[in-house]
Amino acid sequence: MTHEDSAGAGRASTPRGRARRDQLVKIGLDLLAEGGWPAVTARAVTDRARTRPGLLHHYFNGLPGLHIAVAQRASEMIVDPVVDALIAAPDTPAALRALRDLVPRMAAGERNLRLAAELLVRALRDPRMGAERRDWSRAVRARIAARLGHLCPDWPAERREGTAMLFTAMLDGLLLQLILDPDLPTGPALNATEALVAE
């Protein structure tokens, strides 16, 4: 988190401030799903919130900060539930069952598909957004690798880290495939993943 980001977060430390900041992020998400990043303008957000434009600077240090917050929230909504279920699974078979249940939901509905597509495109084009996505991916891989250390203590670090990379790459890849083909069955990919991580 940059100094500017931490300053913006500090401004939202009161319950009222957190609620207002959350409202602005939700509006940004709605606009992103409706019209892509070009629709997430300062005017559109503040008009819909019926508030003054200065609040974007107050809470996010401007529109770019709001865009980062919107991207983070979208990732939390779409991918984090799958990762959380993997981390919470008591063993590897349970983790694979969680994948079977949650991956199809990851991109369920046009809204999630649109948000996921916008996140991917923006991360490739915007260095700051790309850096945020990279840091998020690294944190996800580290969480999965740490959990594998508990579930599979006999695995060497290289295998744990490689498997964590495989899981995150699979999630990203499946999400991309579902964006392109929403009716794509995910079962075969999950079967292959299960075979790759089996003892």
Side-chain angles (χ1 to χ4, degrees):
M1 180 180 284
T2 67
H3 173 70
E4 287 187 352
D5 292 334
S6 61
R11 295 180 187 121
S13 59
T14 67
R16 182 178 177 186
R18 287 192 296 272
R20 175 60 90 176
R21 188 179 193 279
D22 188 60
Q23 178 200 25
L24 295 171
V25 172
K26 287 179 179 176
I27 289 171
L29 269 175
D30 288 341
L31 290 167
L32 180 61
E34 292 165 14
W37 288 108
V40 190
T41 65
R43 172 65 65 85
V45 172
T46 54
D47 280 357
R48 192 169 289 192
R50 298 181 180 178
T51 190
R52 54 190 172 82
L55 275 189
L56 292 190
H57 183 77
H58 182 72
Y59 289 117
F60 305 99
N61 295 295
L63 186 62
L66 173 65
H67 282 184
I68 292 292
V70 167
Q72 289 171 340
R73 181 70 59 83
S75 294
E76 290 169 4
M77 289 169 43
I78 297 169
V79 182
D80 280 9
V82 182
V83 175
D84 291 344
L86 281 174
I87 301 301
D91 52 38
T92 304
L96 293 166
R97 286 194 300 273
L99 281 178
R100 288 185 183 283
D101 182 45
L102 292 171
V103 164
R105 300 185 202 172
M106 186 171 60
E110 185 178 342
R111 178 184 170 90
N112 274 11
L113 287 174
R114 179 63 182 267
L115 290 173
E118 292 293 339
L119 290 180
L120 177 62
V121 171
R122 185 68 181 273
L124 293 173
R125 292 181 177 172
D126 182 330
R128 183 178 178 191
M129 197 74 77
E132 290 286 336
R133 179 73 181 186
R134 179 203 63 211
D135 292 345
W136 175 82
S137 293
R138 286 177 177 173
V140 167
R141 289 197 303 270
R143 289 180 64 202
I144 295 173
R147 182 59 179 154
L148 286 169
H150 295 288
L151 295 176
C152 309
D154 56 324
W155 283 13
E158 184 177 2
R159 183 174 181 185
R160 294 194 301 269
E161 291 164 6
T163 302
M165 186 179 296
L166 171 68
F167 274 124
T168 54
M170 182 202 66
L171 292 175
D172 284 340
L174 280 176
L175 196 51
L176 175 59
Q177 292 299 314
L178 289 166
I179 289 168
L180 298 171
D181 183 2
D183 297 322
L184 182 72
T186 57
L190 296 171
N191 290 339
T193 302
E194 185 172 355
L196 286 170
V197 300
E199 290 284 0

